[in-house]
Amino acid sequence: MPIVTIKAVRGVHDILPADTARWQRLEAVSRQVFEAYGYKEIRPPIFERTELFARGIGEVTDIVQKEMYTFEDRSGESLTLRPEATASVLRAYVEHGLHVLAKPVRLYTVGPMFRYERPQAGRYRQFHQLNLEAIGENHPALDAEVIGVLMELFRRLGLADRLTLSLNSIGDPACRPAYREKLVAYLRQNAGRLCGECRERTERNPLRALDCKKPDCQEVLDTAPSILDALCKECGEHFARVRQYLEALSLPYVVTPRLVRGFDYYVRTTFELLTGELGAQNAVAGGGRYDGLVQLLDGPPDPGIGFAVGMERVVLLLPPDAQDAVPLALLIPLGDKALVRLLPVAQAMRHSGVTVEVGYGVRKLRNELDRANRLKVPYVVILGESELEKGEALIREMGSGTQRPVPLDRLEAELIALGGVGRGAEPPSEVR
Ligand code: AMP
């Protein structure tokens, strides 16, 4: 049997060290922004009972019908790797009685999601989302707040100017059924000019047909009846006030009557944040109101609204970080005795928050200097037998090649003085 190298599963990807700085920045900025608005982190598990998603997301959605990673565990229970976070967050909200907290209850979570989709650039089978939910309040000012959090995140990341906010209202159970009927009648009339998928959606989930990107369908969909003309009085007023508050916050948006989303649970406000820079995968975030969903999951009749940000897509938009952190110095012991003398120096430096590397004392000086060049360290410390005897080490500046002796008992202080602060980890209080 030939030996086959094991590779990652199709559609999942490694986040490599060259990219982790951008991921960490995205996570850190998100936490700062979310917490500034009073959102608290919740960490639900990544798998749940299948029924939670079937009921929460909707049996007829593409996600539930075609995209879930569902399996039976050893006791025969059907479990699913979460395809989205809202259902899990609301399950936890109900299960732990979080509805007794002051409302709206503001929660966020960060982590991987799993969908069996056709992989392509910007679309994966394991991907990561930032999720934010505000539960227990239906005032339109909360819709504007949640959209405001999203826009503030992208402003802080320096990306706001490259994104467009699409906004829509998709009505509620009072007005949507009549619109749905009108739309189905229109789509059936024009079935001959629609793709197979749209014809199928006409019968199964007609609002989703509005989302079709195929050029041939566009013509038909462009003149389809608009949901905004079909909103009931309450939904129309709610939407008008969301718009009014967004304007008060100077948050620009484009009303997009064909914006529908992939989940059944949305009502009224829906929104997406779009980029023109990532080809077909043009949505970096999406969200909406889900009044009724908490109740559907056996909780109190608490309304809610939230969004999900696709982290891979945001990372693709972020500029690479200017410079990777480089250690301050490579400590080069020549021989084991020197190693024993330098190990505690390296340890003390690290305690002080300064990153250094230390050799093993077995390689030639020339090889260690080669390594220092590849590490791009600005300094090396050389400790050979003759230096040990004199009780000193040599500090060499790699740029100029100049070196000078330093008494061994002053070595740590000298290295810290050479610019340890701010390099590597946080500066410790002793050297601030
Ligand atoms: P959704 O949960 O479908 O509303 O998606 C919210 C956001 O998650 C989207 O706007 C994308 O940025 C991102 N997203 C959804 N599906 C994928 C996927 N398969 N791969 C990468 N990102 C995704």
Side-chain angles (χ1 to χ4, degrees), residues 349-393:
M349 300 298 300
R350 291 160 179 164
H351 282 178
S352 305
V354 179
T355 307
V356 295
E357 285 248 356
V358 60
Y360 299 105
V362 290
R363 302 207 313 188
K364 293 213 166 70
L365 179 60
R366 191 165 34 87
N367 296 341
E368 290 288 21
L369 290 175
D370 260 9
R371 190 165 152 235
N373 278 325
R374 273 192 301 163
L375 286 169
K376 301 196 178 83
V377 291
Y379 300 98
V380 296
V381 171
I382 302 166
L383 186 60
E385 277 191 16
S386 62
E387 287 81 20
L388 254 180
E389 268 169 30
K390 283 189 263 177
E392 57 187 37

mmCIF file of all heavy atoms in Angstrom, residues 349-393:
data_model
loop_
_atom_site.group_PDB
_atom_site.id
_atom_site.type_symbol
_atom_site.label_atom_id
_atom_site.label_comp_id
_atom_site.label_asym_id
_atom_site.label_seq_id
_atom_site.Cartn_x
_atom_site.Cartn_y
_atom_site.Cartn_z
ATOM 1 N N MET A 349 14.746 37.479 31.255
ATOM 2 C CA MET A 349 14.266 38.372 30.189
ATOM 3 C C MET A 349 12.794 38.092 29.892
ATOM 4 O O MET A 349 11.984 38.991 29.736
ATOM 5 C CB MET A 349 15.052 38.155 28.886
ATOM 6 C CG MET A 349 16.533 38.396 28.961
ATOM 7 S SD MET A 349 16.923 40.088 29.384
ATOM 8 C CE MET A 349 16.181 40.934 28.043
ATOM 9 N N ARG A 350 12.459 36.814 29.786
ATOM 10 C CA ARG A 350 11.070 36.437 29.458
ATOM 11 C C ARG A 350 10.128 36.841 30.580
ATOM 12 O O ARG A 350 9.009 37.286 30.317
ATOM 13 C CB ARG A 350 11.001 34.937 29.165
ATOM 14 C CG ARG A 350 11.717 34.605 27.859
ATOM 15 C CD ARG A 350 12.099 33.158 27.761
ATOM 16 N NE ARG A 350 12.753 32.869 26.489
ATOM 17 C CZ ARG A 350 13.459 31.764 26.275
ATOM 18 N NH1 ARG A 350 13.606 30.862 27.239
ATOM 19 N NH2 ARG A 350 14.006 31.564 25.095
ATOM 20 N N HIS A 351 10.615 36.695 31.832
ATOM 21 C CA HIS A 351 9.787 37.157 32.947
ATOM 22 C C HIS A 351 9.503 38.644 32.819
ATOM 23 O O HIS A 351 8.435 39.121 33.211
ATOM 24 C CB HIS A 351 10.494 36.915 34.287
ATOM 25 C CG HIS A 351 10.423 35.492 34.733
ATOM 26 N ND1 HIS A 351 11.028 35.042 35.880
ATOM 27 C CD2 HIS A 351 9.831 34.412 34.188
ATOM 28 C CE1 HIS A 351 10.809 33.753 36.025
ATOM 29 N NE2 HIS A 351 10.084 33.341 34.989
ATOM 30 N N SER A 352 10.476 39.372 32.283
ATOM 31 C CA SER A 352 10.302 40.822 32.127
ATOM 32 C C SER A 352 9.497 41.169 30.883
ATOM 33 O O SER A 352 9.348 42.330 30.559
ATOM 34 C CB SER A 352 11.664 41.509 32.025
ATOM 35 O OG SER A 352 12.447 41.188 33.126
ATOM 36 N N GLY A 353 9.050 40.155 30.144
ATOM 37 C CA GLY A 353 8.231 40.420 28.956
ATOM 38 C C GLY A 353 9.049 40.686 27.702
ATOM 39 O O GLY A 353 8.521 41.185 26.713
ATOM 40 N N VAL A 354 10.329 40.363 27.743
ATOM 41 C CA VAL A 354 11.176 40.589 26.567
ATOM 42 C C VAL A 354 11.446 39.242 25.897
ATOM 43 O O VAL A 354 11.864 38.286 26.549
ATOM 44 C CB VAL A 354 12.523 41.231 26.984
ATOM 45 C CG1 VAL A 354 13.407 41.432 25.759
ATOM 46 C CG2 VAL A 354 12.279 42.540 27.702
ATOM 47 N N THR A 355 11.172 39.168 24.585
ATOM 48 C CA THR A 355 11.358 37.898 23.888
ATOM 49 C C THR A 355 12.815 37.751 23.450
ATOM 50 O O THR A 355 13.350 38.617 22.765
ATOM 51 C CB THR A 355 10.449 37.850 22.643
ATOM 52 O OG1 THR A 355 9.126 38.129 23.063
ATOM 53 C CG2 THR A 355 10.502 36.490 21.968
ATOM 54 N N VAL A 356 13.435 36.652 23.864
ATOM 55 C CA VAL A 356 14.779 36.328 23.377
ATOM 56 C C VAL A 356 14.808 34.856 22.971
ATOM 57 O O VAL A 356 13.941 34.083 23.365
ATOM 58 C CB VAL A 356 15.863 36.567 24.462
ATOM 59 C CG1 VAL A 356 15.970 38.037 24.822
ATOM 60 C CG2 VAL A 356 15.605 35.714 25.696
ATOM 61 N N GLU A 357 15.779 34.513 22.152
ATOM 62 C CA GLU A 357 16.017 33.101 21.822
ATOM 63 C C GLU A 357 17.352 32.733 22.423
ATOM 64 O O GLU A 357 18.243 33.587 22.546
ATOM 65 C CB GLU A 357 16.113 32.936 20.302
ATOM 66 C CG GLU A 357 14.803 33.010 19.608
ATOM 67 C CD GLU A 357 14.377 31.687 18.996
ATOM 68 O OE1 GLU A 357 15.152 30.704 19.041
ATOM 69 O OE2 GLU A 357 13.259 31.649 18.480
ATOM 70 N N VAL A 358 17.530 31.447 22.740
ATOM 71 C CA VAL A 358 18.825 31.024 23.266
ATOM 72 C C VAL A 358 19.254 29.754 22.538
ATOM 73 O O VAL A 358 18.433 28.889 22.243
ATOM 74 C CB VAL A 358 18.749 30.865 24.817
ATOM 75 C CG1 VAL A 358 17.735 29.856 25.241
ATOM 76 C CG2 VAL A 358 20.094 30.568 25.422
ATOM 77 N N GLY A 359 20.536 29.690 22.169
ATOM 78 C CA GLY A 359 21.058 28.508 21.484
ATOM 79 C C GLY A 359 21.287 27.371 22.464
ATOM 80 O O GLY A 359 21.002 27.508 23.656
ATOM 81 N N TYR A 360 21.823 26.229 21.916
ATOM 82 C CA TYR A 360 22.032 25.066 22.800
ATOM 83 C C TYR A 360 23.496 24.835 23.123
ATOM 84 O O TYR A 360 23.840 23.872 23.784
ATOM 85 C CB TYR A 360 21.428 23.816 22.154
ATOM 86 C CG TYR A 360 19.942 23.981 21.939
ATOM 87 C CD1 TYR A 360 19.429 24.208 20.674
ATOM 88 C CD2 TYR A 360 19.066 23.962 23.018
ATOM 89 C CE1 TYR A 360 18.067 24.396 20.484
ATOM 90 C CE2 TYR A 360 17.717 24.153 22.841
ATOM 91 C CZ TYR A 360 17.219 24.370 21.578
ATOM 92 O OH TYR A 360 15.890 24.575 21.408
ATOM 93 N N GLY A 361 24.369 25.702 22.616
ATOM 94 C CA GLY A 361 25.785 25.588 22.948
ATOM 95 C C GLY A 361 26.521 24.523 22.165
ATOM 96 O O GLY A 361 27.665 24.198 22.472
ATOM 97 N N VAL A 362 25.898 23.966 21.147
ATOM 98 C CA VAL A 362 26.543 22.861 20.421
ATOM 99 C C VAL A 362 26.929 23.254 19.002
ATOM 100 O O VAL A 362 27.587 22.488 18.308
ATOM 101 C CB VAL A 362 25.629 21.617 20.362
ATOM 102 C CG1 VAL A 362 25.513 20.982 21.729
ATOM 103 C CG2 VAL A 362 24.258 21.956 19.804
ATOM 104 N N ARG A 363 26.497 24.444 18.552
ATOM 105 C CA ARG A 363 26.797 24.789 17.160
ATOM 106 C C ARG A 363 27.915 25.822 17.090
ATOM 107 O O ARG A 363 28.171 26.542 18.060
ATOM 108 C CB ARG A 363 25.541 25.337 16.488
ATOM 109 C CG ARG A 363 24.423 24.312 16.554
ATOM 110 C CD ARG A 363 23.444 24.425 15.458
ATOM 111 N NE ARG A 363 22.995 25.781 15.218
ATOM 112 C CZ ARG A 363 22.004 26.071 14.382
ATOM 113 N NH1 ARG A 363 21.395 25.107 13.722
ATOM 114 N NH2 ARG A 363 21.637 27.314 14.194
ATOM 115 N N LYS A 364 28.546 25.876 15.922
ATOM 116 C CA LYS A 364 29.618 26.844 15.738
ATOM 117 C C LYS A 364 29.043 28.260 15.741
ATOM 118 O O LYS A 364 27.903 28.482 15.323
ATOM 119 C CB LYS A 364 30.291 26.602 14.389
ATOM 120 C CG LYS A 364 31.030 25.299 14.302
ATOM 121 C CD LYS A 364 32.252 25.478 13.392
ATOM 122 C CE LYS A 364 33.206 24.306 13.531
ATOM 123 N NZ LYS A 364 32.645 23.076 12.945
ATOM 124 N N LEU A 365 29.877 29.224 16.147
ATOM 125 C CA LEU A 365 29.444 30.619 16.205
ATOM 126 C C LEU A 365 28.897 31.078 14.847
ATOM 127 O O LEU A 365 27.867 31.749 14.758
ATOM 128 C CB LEU A 365 30.614 31.517 16.642
ATOM 129 C CG LEU A 365 30.285 33.013 16.720
ATOM 130 C CD1 LEU A 365 29.166 33.282 17.725
ATOM 131 C CD2 LEU A 365 31.524 33.827 17.109
ATOM 132 N N ARG A 366 29.584 30.662 13.770
ATOM 133 C CA ARG A 366 29.170 31.093 12.430
ATOM 134 C C ARG A 366 27.712 30.643 12.140
ATOM 135 O O ARG A 366 26.885 31.404 11.637
ATOM 136 C CB ARG A 366 30.123 30.497 11.384
ATOM 137 C CG ARG A 366 29.971 31.058 9.992
ATOM 138 C CD ARG A 366 31.181 30.693 9.111
ATOM 139 N NE ARG A 366 31.744 29.371 9.421
ATOM 140 C CZ ARG A 366 31.319 28.231 8.886
ATOM 141 N NH1 ARG A 366 30.332 28.232 8.023
ATOM 142 N NH2 ARG A 366 31.877 27.086 9.215
ATOM 143 N N ASN A 367 27.427 29.414 12.524
ATOM 144 C CA ASN A 367 26.065 28.895 12.281
ATOM 145 C C ASN A 367 25.026 29.639 13.116
ATOM 146 O O ASN A 367 23.924 29.907 12.653
ATOM 147 C CB ASN A 367 25.988 27.404 12.618
ATOM 148 C CG ASN A 367 26.874 26.593 11.699
ATOM 149 O OD1 ASN A 367 27.249 27.079 10.622
ATOM 150 N ND2 ASN A 367 27.231 25.391 12.113
ATOM 151 N N GLU A 368 25.434 29.958 14.338
ATOM 152 C CA GLU A 368 24.485 30.680 15.199
ATOM 153 C C GLU A 368 24.240 32.092 14.659
ATOM 154 O O GLU A 368 23.127 32.612 14.727
ATOM 155 C CB GLU A 368 24.990 30.744 16.642
ATOM 156 C CG GLU A 368 24.966 29.406 17.381
ATOM 157 C CD GLU A 368 23.558 28.945 17.747
ATOM 158 O OE1 GLU A 368 22.578 29.392 17.132
ATOM 159 O OE2 GLU A 368 23.436 28.105 18.663
ATOM 160 N N LEU A 369 25.294 32.728 14.109
ATOM 161 C CA LEU A 369 25.116 34.074 13.549
ATOM 162 C C LEU A 369 24.222 34.022 12.304
ATOM 163 O O LEU A 369 23.412 34.918 12.074
ATOM 164 C CB LEU A 369 26.473 34.717 13.224
ATOM 165 C CG LEU A 369 27.299 35.102 14.461
ATOM 166 C CD1 LEU A 369 28.689 35.616 14.067
ATOM 167 C CD2 LEU A 369 26.580 36.145 15.326
ATOM 168 N N ASP A 370 24.357 32.952 11.557
ATOM 169 C CA ASP A 370 23.443 32.730 10.409
ATOM 170 C C ASP A 370 21.995 32.689 10.891
ATOM 171 O O ASP A 370 21.100 33.270 10.297
ATOM 172 C CB ASP A 370 23.715 31.347 9.798
ATOM 173 C CG ASP A 370 24.565 31.459 8.557
ATOM 174 O OD1 ASP A 370 25.057 32.574 8.292
ATOM 175 O OD2 ASP A 370 24.725 30.409 7.879
ATOM 176 N N ARG A 371 21.812 31.944 11.965
ATOM 177 C CA ARG A 371 20.469 31.811 12.510
ATOM 178 C C ARG A 371 19.946 33.168 12.988
ATOM 179 O O ARG A 371 18.781 33.507 12.788
ATOM 180 C CB ARG A 371 20.511 30.809 13.674
ATOM 181 C CG ARG A 371 19.166 30.424 14.139
ATOM 182 C CD ARG A 371 19.233 29.180 15.014
ATOM 183 N NE ARG A 371 18.129 29.240 15.934
ATOM 184 C CZ ARG A 371 18.232 29.175 17.251
ATOM 185 N NH1 ARG A 371 19.412 29.018 17.815
ATOM 186 N NH2 ARG A 371 17.167 29.249 17.997
ATOM 187 N N ALA A 372 20.852 33.946 13.616
ATOM 188 C CA ALA A 372 20.453 35.287 14.085
ATOM 189 C C ALA A 372 19.984 36.134 12.909
ATOM 190 O O ALA A 372 18.992 36.853 13.003
ATOM 191 C CB ALA A 372 21.622 35.955 14.799
ATOM 192 N N ASN A 373 20.675 36.001 11.784
ATOM 193 C CA ASN A 373 20.263 36.775 10.595
ATOM 194 C C ASN A 373 18.890 36.348 10.115
ATOM 195 O O ASN A 373 18.081 37.165 9.710
ATOM 196 C CB ASN A 373 21.289 36.593 9.468
ATOM 197 C CG ASN A 373 22.478 37.529 9.665
ATOM 198 O OD1 ASN A 373 22.299 38.654 10.138
ATOM 199 N ND2 ASN A 373 23.675 37.058 9.332
ATOM 200 N N ARG A 374 18.667 35.031 10.146
ATOM 201 C CA ARG A 374 17.342 34.573 9.681
ATOM 202 C C ARG A 374 16.227 34.974 10.640
ATOM 203 O O ARG A 374 15.109 35.259 10.244
ATOM 204 C CB ARG A 374 17.357 33.068 9.441
ATOM 205 C CG ARG A 374 17.844 32.784 8.007
ATOM 206 C CD ARG A 374 17.605 31.384 7.641
ATOM 207 N NE ARG A 374 18.331 30.571 8.604
ATOM 208 C CZ ARG A 374 18.128 29.297 8.829
ATOM 209 N NH1 ARG A 374 17.208 28.664 8.185
ATOM 210 N NH2 ARG A 374 18.842 28.630 9.696
ATOM 211 N N LEU A 375 16.552 35.015 11.916
ATOM 212 C CA LEU A 375 15.550 35.455 12.904
ATOM 213 C C LEU A 375 15.343 36.964 12.843
ATOM 214 O O LEU A 375 14.384 37.479 13.408
ATOM 215 C CB LEU A 375 16.012 35.092 14.326
ATOM 216 C CG LEU A 375 15.938 33.635 14.747
ATOM 217 C CD1 LEU A 375 16.680 33.438 16.074
ATOM 218 C CD2 LEU A 375 14.478 33.200 14.908
ATOM 219 N N LYS A 376 16.273 37.657 12.179
ATOM 220 C CA LYS A 376 16.240 39.129 12.060
ATOM 221 C C LYS A 376 16.348 39.825 13.414
ATOM 222 O O LYS A 376 15.811 40.927 13.607
ATOM 223 C CB LYS A 376 14.967 39.593 11.342
ATOM 224 C CG LYS A 376 14.802 39.040 9.933
ATOM 225 C CD LYS A 376 13.749 39.861 9.203
ATOM 226 C CE LYS A 376 13.544 39.436 7.773
ATOM 227 N NZ LYS A 376 12.645 38.308 7.589
ATOM 228 N N VAL A 377 17.043 39.183 14.380
ATOM 229 C CA VAL A 377 17.189 39.829 15.690
ATOM 230 C C VAL A 377 18.154 41.001 15.578
ATOM 231 O O VAL A 377 19.151 40.925 14.850
ATOM 232 C CB VAL A 377 17.715 38.846 16.770
ATOM 233 C CG1 VAL A 377 16.673 37.808 17.108
ATOM 234 C CG2 VAL A 377 19.010 38.187 16.321
ATOM 235 N N PRO A 378 17.902 42.094 16.279
ATOM 236 C CA PRO A 378 18.843 43.213 16.215
ATOM 237 C C PRO A 378 20.139 42.966 17.003
ATOM 238 O O PRO A 378 21.154 43.584 16.700
ATOM 239 C CB PRO A 378 18.061 44.389 16.800
ATOM 240 C CG PRO A 378 16.918 43.807 17.543
ATOM 241 C CD PRO A 378 16.651 42.456 16.975
ATOM 242 N N TYR A 379 20.109 42.077 18.003
ATOM 243 C CA TYR A 379 21.307 41.856 18.830
ATOM 244 C C TYR A 379 21.571 40.368 19.024
ATOM 245 O O TYR A 379 20.627 39.575 19.025
ATOM 246 C CB TYR A 379 21.130 42.464 20.228
ATOM 247 C CG TYR A 379 20.893 43.953 20.185
ATOM 248 C CD1 TYR A 379 19.605 44.477 20.263
ATOM 249 C CD2 TYR A 379 21.969 44.834 20.051
ATOM 250 C CE1 TYR A 379 19.383 45.840 20.205
ATOM 251 C CE2 TYR A 379 21.755 46.214 19.988
ATOM 252 C CZ TYR A 379 20.454 46.706 20.061
ATOM 253 O OH TYR A 379 20.237 48.052 19.993
ATOM 254 N N VAL A 380 22.852 40.032 19.197
ATOM 255 C CA VAL A 380 23.165 38.706 19.749
ATOM 256 C C VAL A 380 24.053 38.899 20.970
ATOM 257 O O VAL A 380 24.755 39.922 21.097
ATOM 258 C CB VAL A 380 23.880 37.759 18.744
ATOM 259 C CG1 VAL A 380 22.997 37.432 17.559
ATOM 260 C CG2 VAL A 380 25.223 38.304 18.307
ATOM 261 N N VAL A 381 23.998 37.915 21.848
ATOM 262 C CA VAL A 381 24.895 37.894 23.009
ATOM 263 C C VAL A 381 25.764 36.656 22.843
ATOM 264 O O VAL A 381 25.243 35.554 22.649
ATOM 265 C CB VAL A 381 24.084 37.803 24.319
ATOM 266 C CG1 VAL A 381 25.005 37.563 25.503
ATOM 267 C CG2 VAL A 381 23.249 39.068 24.507
ATOM 268 N N ILE A 382 27.087 36.856 22.873
ATOM 269 C CA ILE A 382 27.993 35.724 22.680
ATOM 270 C C ILE A 382 28.704 35.437 24.004
ATOM 271 O O ILE A 382 29.238 36.347 24.646
ATOM 272 C CB ILE A 382 29.039 36.046 21.587
ATOM 273 C CG1 ILE A 382 28.319 36.382 20.264
ATOM 274 C CG2 ILE A 382 29.994 34.861 21.389
ATOM 275 C CD1 ILE A 382 29.224 37.039 19.232
ATOM 276 N N LEU A 383 28.665 34.177 24.405
ATOM 277 C CA LEU A 383 29.350 33.787 25.639
ATOM 278 C C LEU A 383 30.200 32.549 25.356
ATOM 279 O O LEU A 383 29.695 31.438 25.241
ATOM 280 C CB LEU A 383 28.316 33.507 26.750
ATOM 281 C CG LEU A 383 28.890 33.224 28.136
ATOM 282 C CD1 LEU A 383 29.725 34.398 28.659
ATOM 283 C CD2 LEU A 383 27.774 32.910 29.128
ATOM 284 N N GLY A 384 31.520 32.795 25.185
ATOM 285 C CA GLY A 384 32.455 31.685 24.962
ATOM 286 C C GLY A 384 33.251 31.448 26.230
ATOM 287 O O GLY A 384 33.031 32.114 27.244
ATOM 288 N N GLU A 385 34.234 30.482 26.124
ATOM 289 C CA GLU A 385 34.989 30.148 27.339
ATOM 290 C C GLU A 385 35.796 31.312 27.861
ATOM 291 O O GLU A 385 35.830 31.577 29.062
ATOM 292 C CB GLU A 385 35.892 28.953 27.063
ATOM 293 C CG GLU A 385 35.091 27.685 27.209
ATOM 294 C CD GLU A 385 35.948 26.440 27.207
ATOM 295 O OE1 GLU A 385 37.176 26.555 27.392
ATOM 296 O OE2 GLU A 385 35.357 25.372 27.004
ATOM 297 N N SER A 386 36.447 32.069 26.944
ATOM 298 C CA SER A 386 37.312 33.161 27.419
ATOM 299 C C SER A 386 36.472 34.254 28.081
ATOM 300 O O SER A 386 36.867 34.825 29.091
ATOM 301 C CB SER A 386 38.164 33.720 26.291
ATOM 302 O OG SER A 386 37.327 34.268 25.298
ATOM 303 N N GLU A 387 35.270 34.515 27.533
ATOM 304 C CA GLU A 387 34.396 35.522 28.156
ATOM 305 C C GLU A 387 33.964 35.042 29.547
ATOM 306 O O GLU A 387 33.951 35.818 30.505
ATOM 307 C CB GLU A 387 33.147 35.792 27.303
ATOM 308 C CG GLU A 387 33.387 36.597 26.034
ATOM 309 C CD GLU A 387 33.911 35.741 24.889
ATOM 310 O OE1 GLU A 387 33.740 34.513 24.946
ATOM 311 O OE2 GLU A 387 34.503 36.300 23.957
ATOM 312 N N LEU A 388 33.617 33.736 29.613
ATOM 313 C CA LEU A 388 33.186 33.188 30.906
ATOM 314 C C LEU A 388 34.260 33.402 31.967
ATOM 315 O O LEU A 388 33.983 33.805 33.092
ATOM 316 C CB LEU A 388 32.929 31.684 30.773
ATOM 317 C CG LEU A 388 31.487 31.190 30.751
ATOM 318 C CD1 LEU A 388 31.446 29.676 30.618
ATOM 319 C CD2 LEU A 388 30.709 31.635 31.987
ATOM 320 N N GLU A 389 35.507 33.129 31.556
ATOM 321 C CA GLU A 389 36.609 33.297 32.499
ATOM 322 C C GLU A 389 36.722 34.729 32.988
ATOM 323 O O GLU A 389 36.995 34.984 34.153
ATOM 324 C CB GLU A 389 37.933 32.884 31.846
ATOM 325 C CG GLU A 389 38.242 31.427 32.100
ATOM 326 C CD GLU A 389 39.399 30.939 31.253
ATOM 327 O OE1 GLU A 389 40.290 31.761 30.931
ATOM 328 O OE2 GLU A 389 39.359 29.747 30.890
ATOM 329 N N LYS A 390 36.441 35.682 32.066
ATOM 330 C CA LYS A 390 36.553 37.098 32.441
ATOM 331 C C LYS A 390 35.280 37.606 33.137
ATOM 332 O O LYS A 390 35.217 38.754 33.553
ATOM 333 C CB LYS A 390 36.801 37.951 31.192
ATOM 334 C CG LYS A 390 38.249 37.858 30.699
ATOM 335 C CD LYS A 390 38.525 38.875 29.604
ATOM 336 C CE LYS A 390 38.378 38.196 28.244
ATOM 337 N NZ LYS A 390 38.551 39.088 27.106
ATOM 338 N N GLY A 391 34.233 36.775 33.171
ATOM 339 C CA GLY A 391 32.976 37.195 33.814
ATOM 340 C C GLY A 391 32.218 38.211 32.983
ATOM 341 O O GLY A 391 31.521 39.075 33.516
ATOM 342 N N GLU A 392 32.342 38.099 31.667
ATOM 343 C CA GLU A 392 31.584 39.028 30.821
ATOM 344 C C GLU A 392 31.039 38.311 29.580
ATOM 345 O O GLU A 392 31.379 37.159 29.314
ATOM 346 C CB GLU A 392 32.460 40.223 30.422
ATOM 347 C CG GLU A 392 33.725 39.837 29.720
ATOM 348 C CD GLU A 392 34.670 41.021 29.480
ATOM 349 O OE1 GLU A 392 34.752 41.906 30.356
ATOM 350 O OE2 GLU A 392 35.299 41.050 28.418
ATOM 351 N N ALA A 393 30.149 39.015 28.866
ATOM 352 C CA ALA A 393 29.623 38.493 27.604
ATOM 353 C C ALA A 393 29.781 39.588 26.556
ATOM 354 O O ALA A 393 29.990 40.755 26.908
ATOM 355 C CB ALA A 393 28.152 38.136 27.757
#
